[in-house]
Amino acid sequence: YSLTLSSGSYVRRLPTTITSQSNPIVSGHWYIDGSVTLPKNKNLTIPAGYLLFINGNLTMDQNSILNGNAVINGNLIINGKGKSIEQMSGTFYVNGNIQTSKSITLGTVTKPTFALAEGDITLGNNVSGFGYFLSQNFSGNQGNVNITGGVYAAVSANLPPNGIIPNTSLNETD
């Protein structure tokens, strides 16, 4: 991906702009040149109307929340451990792969998670919530996966044993 930075559009920030905050909040259209790794118990929020562009990977550790809209020119990795629960809500365009481990909660019925990956999407155990996924390969058949939404895989989709529940309450005009 290539992004032109111009006055009034995207503001270039270092990865430490995010990692140095206790619970990072993006305060504009940010362009991060480099990978970002957030340690456990940190929440990354991209408020409505803003977009975060990361030219690298985004890795989030246990008990973390990712909320907002982001373009990631790398991989999105959400690590869980033990009884930790991570949350992912918003729209995520990923040039690489999306991988989650352990428990993750997706968006809500009125604001589902949209995850679009050029590569593969692999979900870990205990995934629940409302989400739509677009990827080359989708793997969501490990453990207890209960997703309301949709999966669109160009090559193969390994769905949960109970399948994906259609979200009949989603208003397509929204």
Side-chain angles (χ1 to χ4, degrees):
Y1 288 103
S2 174
L3 182 65
T4 303
L5 302 176
S6 61
S7 177
S9 295
Y10 282 83
V11 178
R12 184 183 303 267
R13 299 282 188 212
L14 296 173
T16 54
T17 304
I18 291 178
T19 59
S20 65
Q21 296 181 47
S22 60
N23 282 310
I25 298 175
V26 173
S27 60
H29 296 300
W30 285 6
Y31 174 85
I32 306 290
D33 195 10
S35 293
V36 175
T37 299
L38 287 175
K40 66 181 181 177
N41 302 318
K42 283 200 177 188
N43 305 327
L44 174 56
T45 302
I46 305 126
Y50 294 134
L51 181 66
L52 173 63
F53 188 103
I54 296 176
N55 190 24
N57 298 325
L58 173 58
T59 303
M60 298 190 69
D61 282 330
Q62 61 196 34
N63 291 319
S64 60
I65 297 172
L66 176 57
N67 185 12
N69 299 322
V71 175
I72 301 163
N73 190 25
N75 298 314
L76 171 58
I77 302 162
I78 301 177
N79 295 318
K81 202 179 217 185
K83 294 182 180 181
S84 71
I85 298 176
E86 292 71 45
Q87 295 179 28
M88 179 176 162
S89 61
T91 301
F92 309 101
Y93 302 93
V94 179
N95 190 35
N97 301 312
I98 298 174
Q99 179 179 346
T100 72
S101 60
K102 294 293 179 184
S103 300
I104 189 160
T105 302
L106 302 170
T108 65
V109 67
T110 56
K111 292 184 90 176
T113 296
F114 290 90
L116 306 113
E118 286 285 326
D120 300 336
I121 296 176
T122 305
L123 301 180
N125 297 327
N126 299 318
V127 178
S128 63
F130 299 84
Y132 294 86
F133 302 90
L134 174 67
S135 62
Q136 293 296 312
N137 297 292
F138 177 87
S139 180
N141 60 342
Q142 307 84 325
N144 184 20
V145 176
N146 296 299
I147 299 172
T148 300
V151 170
Y152 309 93
V155 179
S156 71
N158 293 315
L159 300 177
N162 296 331
I164 304 292
I165 303 163
N167 184 356
T168 58
S169 64
L170 183 66
N171 183 344
E172 292 178 8
T173 61
D174 290 340

